[in-house]
C-alpha cells in the first residue's frame, strides 16, 4: 500500500474503535503475546525454567531436573539427595553448578529416586547432563521449582558460554531457534548408548488379566533383594498358593540382572485398587495405590476429577489405556537390566502369576458386586489428599462435631424459651385464627 492508502486505513480503523490499540504488521505477522491480553497471574502455568548450569521442567504429575556437566564428570562424581520437600543435585566438592533447596511442592517415592547421565562425551563437547525424573505426591502444577527464596542456586539464566538451554532433552517450541543444542541432539548424539556400551536394555510386560495375589507374592519373595516392602496375604484376601515350576534359586538368578522395574499391577486380591510396583537396585516395593478409574461410580468420578491436574490424567487414561471390558485395569511393568537380563526367561514367571480361565471366571463372579467405598469421597478424603495427617483430620472432625453440638444446644434452648413464654400467654394476642382453618373432631 502507498503511504496515503496506509494513512487512510489507519484513520478508518481508529474511527471504528478509538480506544483500541493498533498493531502494524507485514502480511499479518504478529506475535501472539502482542495481540493477546495478558494472562492473569493466578492462571499462569510455569512449565519449566533454567538457572546457572541447570534446567527443569514439570507436568501435573512429575518433575524433571537436568544438571549440565563436563565430559570428564562420571556418575560417581554426582552429589544427589532428595527428600519429600528437598532436593540436592550437584558435583561433589564443587559449589557450582548445583541445585539445592526446599521445593515448591512435595514428592513421593523419594527412596526410589535415581539420576541418569544423558549425552555423550565422545566428541569432547560439553553436551552431557545428570537427569533426575521425580514424581509429585499430589497432581498439579507448581508455581516455581523452589519454595520462595529458600533455594541456594541462582535463578538467573545461564551464562552465555553455556551451550545448553531449558529445552535440552525435550525439544524446543520455537521453529526459528538456531541454538545448536536444539538442532544437533537427535543427529549427533548416538542412540541407545547405554545399550551399546553396557548392554543395558528394557522390555515391557502387559496384560489385561489380573495377577493371582498369592502367586505374585511368592514370586516377589524370591526376588534377590535384601529390602522388600510388599503386600501380605494378611492384608489381602488370600487365594490358594500353587507350586511354581521354578525353584527360588532359579527365580533369583533369572531376576538378578534386573536393575530397575516399575509400573502398575492388577491383583485378584484387591481388584478395585491399583498396586504400584517400584524396584531399583536392592529396593523392591509393591503396595496399594489409587483406585482404578473404571472402579469409580459417576459421583465418585466427579469428586475425584476436581483435584488440580487429575482430570487431565483421567482423560489420558480414557484415551490411551482404556479397554472396553476392563477399563484401565491392567498389568504394565517396565524392566530395565544388564546384558544377562532375558525377556524370554522373565515373562514366563509373570505369566505364571496371571489367572487361568477357570480362576478368571471365579474372580469375575466374586467381584461383580464389589464397589469402591465412599470414605475418601467427602471432606475427609479431600483433607487426606491435601496432605493432612490422621490426627489433623480427627482434630478437624472433633471441632466440627463440637460446633454442631453447640448449634443443636442453642436451638434446643431457643425452643424451650419460646415454649415457656407461650405458656405464659406472651404473644397470644398476636395470633389470628381463620374460621376455615378451625377443625372440629366429630365422632
Amino acid at each position: 500500500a502507498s503511504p496515503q492508502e496506509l494513512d487512510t486505513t489507519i484513520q478508518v480503523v481508529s474511527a471504528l474503535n478509538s480506544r483500541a490499540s493498533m498493531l502494524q504488521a507485514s502480511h499479518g505477522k504478529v506475535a501472539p503475546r502482542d495481540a493477546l491480553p495478558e494472562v492473569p497471574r493466578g492462571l499462569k502455568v510455569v512449565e519449566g525454567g533454567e538457572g546457572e548450569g541447570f534446567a527443569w521442567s514439570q507436568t501435573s504429575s512429575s518433575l524433571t531436573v537436568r544438571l549440565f556437566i563436563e565430559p570428564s564428570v562420571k556418575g560417581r562424581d554426582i552429589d544427589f539427595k532428595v527428600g519429600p520437600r528437598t532436593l540436592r543435585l550437584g558435583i561433589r566438592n564443587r559449589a557450582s553448578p548445583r541445585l539445592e533447596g526446599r521445593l515448591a511442592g512435595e514428592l513421593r517415592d523419594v527412596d526410589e529416586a535415581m539420576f541418569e547421565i544423558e549425552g555423550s562425551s565422545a566428541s569432547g563437547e560439553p553436551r552431557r547432563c545428570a537427569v533426575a525424573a521425580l514424581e509429585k505426591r499430589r497432581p498439579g502444577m507448581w508455581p516455581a521449582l523452589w519454595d520462595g527464596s529458600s533455594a541456594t542456586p541462582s535463578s538467573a539464566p545461564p551464562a552465555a558460554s553455556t551451550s545448553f538451554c531449558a529445552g535440552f532433552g525435550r525439544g524446543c517450541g520455537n521453529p526459528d531457534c538456531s541454538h545448536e543444542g536444539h538442532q544437533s541432539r537427535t543427529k549427533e548424539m548416538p542412540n541407545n548408548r547405554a545399550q551399546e556400551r553396557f548392554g543395558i536394555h528394557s522390555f515391557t510386560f502387559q496384560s489385561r488379566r489380573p495377577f493371582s495375589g498369592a502367586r505374585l507374592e511368592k514370586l516377589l519373595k524370591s526376588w534377590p533383594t535384601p529390602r522388600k516392602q510388599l503386600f501380605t496375604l494378611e492384608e489381602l484376601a488370600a487365594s490358594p498358593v500353587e507350586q511354581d515350576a521354578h525353584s527360588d534359586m532359579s527365580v533369583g538368578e533369572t531376576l538378578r540382572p534386573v536393575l530397575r522395574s516399575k509400573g502398575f499391577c492388577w491383583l485378584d486380591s484387591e481388584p478395585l485398587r491399583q498396586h504400584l510396583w517400584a524396584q531399583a537396585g536392592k529396593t523392591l516395593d509393591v503396595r496399594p495405590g489409587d483406585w482404578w478409574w473404571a472402579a469409580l461410580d459417576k459421583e465418585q468420578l466427579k469428586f475425584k476429577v476436581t483435584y488440580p491436574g487429575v482430570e487431565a490424567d483421567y482423560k489420558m487414561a480414557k484415551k490411551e489405556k482404556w479397554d472396553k471390558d476392563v477399563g484401565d485395569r491392567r498389568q504394565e511393568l517396565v524392566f530395565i537390566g544388564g546384558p544377562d537380563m532375558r525377556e524370554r526367561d522373565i515373562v514366563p514367571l509373570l505369566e505364571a502369576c496371571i489367572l487361568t480361565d477357570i480362576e478368571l471366571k471365579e474372580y469375575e463372579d466374586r467381584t461383580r458386586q464389589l464397589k469402591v467405598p465412599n470414605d475418601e469421597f467427602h471432606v475427609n478424603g479431600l483433607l487426606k489428599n491435601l496432605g493432612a495427617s490422621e490426627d489433623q483430620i480427627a482434630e478437624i472432625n472433633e471441632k466440627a462435631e463440637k460446633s454442631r453440638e453447640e448449634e443443636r444446644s442453642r436451638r434446643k434452648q431457643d425452643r424451650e424459651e419460646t415454649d415457656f413464654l407461650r405458656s405464659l400467654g406472651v404473644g397470644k394476642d398476636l395470633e389470628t385464627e381463620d374460621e376455615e382453618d378451625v377443625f372440629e373432631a366429630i365422632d
Side-chain angles (χ1 to χ4, degrees), residues 212-222 230-234 241 353:
S212 162
R215 292 200 292 273
L216 182 62
E217 183 187 26
K218 180 181 175 71
L219 173 63
L220 295 177
K221 285 183 176 179
S222 302
L230 310 175
F231 62 88
T232 64
L233 294 185
E234 287 73 18
V241 180
C353 298

Side-chain angles (χ1 to χ4, degrees), residues 19 28 33 37 57-58 95-96 155 191 261 265 276 317 396 408:
R19 293 177 296 177
R33 63 177 177 272
S57 61
Q58 66 168 328
S96 179
S155 59
N191 293 325
S261 59
C265 296
L276 306 179
I396 293 172
R408 285 193 292 267

Side-chain angles (χ1 to χ4, degrees), residues 117-186:
I117 303 294
E118 282 190 357
S120 168
S121 59
S123 62
E125 297 181 6
R127 294 189 179 181
R128 304 174 70 232
C129 59
V131 183
L134 310 170
E135 295 186 18
K136 298 179 179 179
R137 179 173 181 180
R138 289 178 289 276
M141 300 296 284
W142 294 356
L145 176 61
W146 305 112
D147 180 14
S149 58
S150 65
T152 57
S154 168
S155 59
S161 60
T162 303
S163 61
F164 298 98
C165 64
F168 181 88
R170 65 177 191 275
C172 177
N174 182 3
D176 298 324
C177 179
S178 59
H179 193 289
E180 61 175 339
H182 286 204
Q183 293 183 330
S184 62
R185 185 172 187 264
T186 301

Side-chain angles (χ1 to χ4, degrees), residues 201-228:
H201 61 288
S202 65
F203 71 90
T204 302
F205 175 81
Q206 295 178 316
S207 176
R208 287 291 181 172
R209 283 195 180 192
F211 281 137
S212 162
R215 292 200 292 273
L216 182 62
E217 183 187 26
K218 180 181 175 71
L219 173 63
L220 295 177
K221 285 183 176 179
S222 302
W223 202 290
T225 58
R227 178 181 176 185
K228 300 185 179 73

Side-chain angles (χ1 to χ4, degrees), residues 208-211 239 266-272 323-327 329 354-371:
R208 287 291 181 172
R209 283 195 180 192
F211 281 137
S239 58
W266 176 18
L267 302 182
D268 69 336
S269 311
E270 198 167 0
L272 303 180
D323 178 85
K324 62 183 181 65
D325 295 322
V326 298
R329 299 181 182 94
I354 294 291
L355 296 186
T356 64
D357 292 342
I358 296 176
E359 291 173 330
L360 182 61
K361 180 63 169 61
E362 294 174 350
Y363 163 84
E364 292 172 345
D365 293 339
R366 174 171 56 86
T367 62
R368 186 170 288 111
Q369 302 300 324
L370 290 182
K371 294 182 179 180

Side-chain angles (χ1 to χ4, degrees), residues 49-340:
E50 56 185 18
E52 186 176 352
F54 73 88
W56 68 279
S57 61
Q58 66 168 328
T59 66
S60 63
S61 60
S62 65
L63 170 70
T64 302
V65 293
R66 291 178 169 83
L67 182 77
F68 306 120
I69 58 178
E70 298 88 352
S72 59
V73 176
K74 308 297 182 184
R76 61 178 178 272
D77 301 322
I78 300 299
D79 180 15
F80 177 64
K81 184 176 182 180
V82 61
R85 287 295 298 268
T86 58
L87 171 65
R88 183 173 75 226
L89 180 60
I91 303 175
R92 298 186 190 278
N93 302 321
R94 290 195 197 178
S96 179
R98 175 173 291 270
L99 300 89
E100 186 170 6
R102 180 176 174 83
L103 296 168
E106 193 169 355
L107 301 173
R108 71 175 186 180
D109 300 334
V110 294
D111 291 338
E112 308 162 17
M114 303 173 64
F115 71 88
E116 297 178 344
I117 303 294
E118 282 190 357
S120 168
S121 59
S123 62
E125 297 181 6
R127 294 189 179 181
R128 304 174 70 232
C129 59
V131 183
L134 310 170
E135 295 186 18
K136 298 179 179 179
R137 179 173 181 180
R138 289 178 289 276
M141 300 296 284
W142 294 356
L145 176 61
W146 305 112
D147 180 14
S149 58
S150 65
T152 57
S154 168
S155 59
S161 60
T162 303
S163 61
F164 298 98
C165 64
F168 181 88
R170 65 177 191 275
C172 177
N174 182 3
D176 298 324
C177 179
S178 59
H179 193 289
E180 61 175 339
H182 286 204
Q183 293 183 330
S184 62
R185 185 172 187 264
T186 301
K187 294 181 180 180
E188 296 183 9
M189 289 195 177
N191 293 325
N192 301 321
R193 287 198 56 82
Q195 182 172 356
E196 293 177 3
R197 295 178 58 189
F198 309 112
I200 303 298
H201 61 288
S202 65
F203 71 90
T204 302
F205 175 81
Q206 295 178 316
S207 176
R208 287 291 181 172
R209 283 195 180 192
F211 281 137
S212 162
R215 292 200 292 273
L216 182 62
E217 183 187 26
K218 180 181 175 71
L219 173 63
L220 295 177
K221 285 183 176 179
S222 302
W223 202 290
T225 58
R227 178 181 176 185
K228 300 185 179 73
Q229 294 176 334
L230 310 175
F231 62 88
T232 64
L233 294 185
E234 287 73 18
E235 298 172 348
L236 307 176
S239 58
V241 180
E242 298 182 6
Q243 294 295 325
D244 195 338
H246 300 270
S247 67
D248 289 345
M249 180 177 298
S250 65
V251 170
E253 292 303 316
T254 300
L255 298 175
R256 193 178 303 279
V258 178
L259 303 175
R260 184 84 164 94
S261 59
K262 190 171 185 179
F264 299 95
C265 296
W266 176 18
L267 302 182
D268 69 336
S269 311
E270 198 167 0
L272 303 180
R273 191 182 289 276
Q274 303 175 8
H275 273 68
L276 306 179
W277 174 308
Q279 176 260 329
K282 297 182 178 181
T283 299
L284 174 61
D285 185 9
V286 180
R287 62 178 61 188
D290 211 339
W291 305 106
W292 292 112
W293 286 112
L296 303 179
D297 61 31
K298 291 183 179 180
E299 293 303 317
Q300 292 170 341
L301 183 59
K302 287 181 181 178
F303 187 93
K304 186 75 172 177
V305 298
T306 57
Y307 293 106
V310 174
E311 185 175 7
D313 293 339
Y314 170 65
K315 290 181 178 179
M316 186 276 292
K318 286 283 290 184
K319 181 179 179 181
E320 301 179 7
K321 307 294 183 181
W322 212 259
D323 178 85
K324 62 183 181 65
D325 295 322
V326 298
D328 60 325
R329 299 181 182 94
R330 65 194 186 279
Q331 319 293 353
E332 187 172 332
L333 302 172
V334 178
F335 292 82
I336 304 173
D340 294 332

